[in-house]
Each structure stands twice: as C-alpha cells, then as structure tokens.
Amino acid sequence: DVFVEEKEGRFQVRTRTSERPAFQISPYYRDLLAHSGEAEVREYLGKKVRQAENVLWAIGQRESTLRRCAQAIVDHQAFFRGGPRFLSQLRMADVAQDLDVHESTVSRAVREKYLQCVWGVYPLSYFFSRSATANSCSKSNAGGAACCAS
C-alpha cells in the first residue's frame, strides 16, 4: 500500500496511486447531462454524477490520509535509518495530534495496510507502541513470561 524511499537524505512516502488507473466520470454521461432535453433525465443524471463525484472525493481523501499517516510514521521512526532494532515508541495519538485528526482516523487509515521499505514489508500497525497489550499481558501472566511476543 505504501512504499518508503530515501531521496536526498530524506525518507519519502509513495502510495500505489500511480499504479492504478485514474478514476473519472465518463465524459459521455457529463455530455448527456449537459445536452439532455428531458428534465427527468437531467435530474437523474445530475444526482448520479454528484454521487460519483462524492465517491471520487472520498477515494482521494482516503489516499491522502493514508499518505499523511505513513509520512508521519516515517518522520517519527528511527527504524527507517537503522532497522528494526531502532523501532521507537510511537502512539497513534501522537500521529493524530501531528495531523490534526482524531485517533480513530489514524487507526482506520493504517488498519490492514502495509509498508515496504529497505528493511522489508511491515503492517503499518507494527510501528505503533503496544503498551496496552503489554500491560494486559503482564497482568494476566503471573509468571512474568513474555506472552505477547510478536
């Protein structure tokens, strides 16, 4: 879903947008809407064109949010310079605050999305702290053994 590349000493995020065909509303329907003499046809096509425009806008927003979240992760993580042993603490709340969005927006944006970099392919969720899981794990594991190892 996301590729991280180093360019001129800075890590940049690229999404798969360039690899998929561009979505657009067919010029045929726009022309039909503009030149139809029937009010009922114009009303129907106008409604459908607006719905399609809303879908295209939503796809763009989703893509933008994913790219912004991934870039914020990359900007916060020393991981990308040094590899997995340099993975640092990062909370979704931190990324949400940086992007001025709700934490649930970040959670939805990164859910089931993957990032490819020189160190391999990782789920975006890999880059966030799992302190809640670790705390609940240690509470339920009286022996103290690591039960939540990834």
Side-chain angles (χ1 to χ4, degrees):
D1 301 295
V2 176
F3 302 93
V4 177
E5 302 163 335
E6 186 176 9
K7 292 185 180 178
E8 299 176 7
R10 185 172 188 276
F11 290 96
Q12 296 179 347
V13 169
R14 178 177 57 86
T15 59
R16 299 188 71 157
T17 306
S18 61
E19 297 177 11
R20 66 168 167 74
F23 298 121
Q24 64 180 11
I25 299 170
S26 170
Y28 171 78
Y29 291 107
R30 288 194 186 274
D31 187 54
L32 191 59
L33 173 62
H35 295 99
S36 177
E38 298 180 40
E40 193 174 309
V41 170
R42 280 194 315 274
E43 181 181 335
Y44 176 80
L45 287 175
K47 180 180 176 184
K48 295 303 178 184
V49 166
R50 282 189 301 281
Q51 287 175 342
E53 288 170 342
N54 288 339
V55 168
L56 293 176
W57 178 85
I59 290 169
Q61 282 297 110
R62 182 176 179 180
E63 187 79 22
S64 173
T65 301
L66 173 61
R67 186 175 42 257
R68 291 175 62 218
C69 286
Q71 188 65 57
I73 291 168
V74 169
D75 291 345
H76 281 87
Q77 283 290 353
F79 168 94
F80 295 97
R81 291 234 177 266
R85 67 187 179 110
F86 288 92
L87 188 66
S88 57
Q89 294 284 321
L90 180 62
R91 299 176 310 141
M92 285 188 188
D94 299 326
V95 171
Q97 184 176 1
D98 284 356
L99 301 179
D100 196 28
V101 297
H102 195 274
E103 188 175 342
S104 65
T105 301
V106 174
S107 176
R108 285 190 309 272
V110 303
R111 183 179 301 131
E112 297 181 17
K113 302 292 188 305
Y114 290 83
L115 178 146
Q116 180 178 332
C117 64
V118 297
W119 303 106
V121 176
Y122 296 86
L124 282 171
S125 60
Y126 171 83
F127 299 100
F128 292 105
S129 304
R130 287 159 188 75
S131 58
T133 303
N135 289 341
S136 63
C137 178
S138 63
K139 288 177 187 173
S140 64
N141 186 3
C147 64
C148 296
S150 40

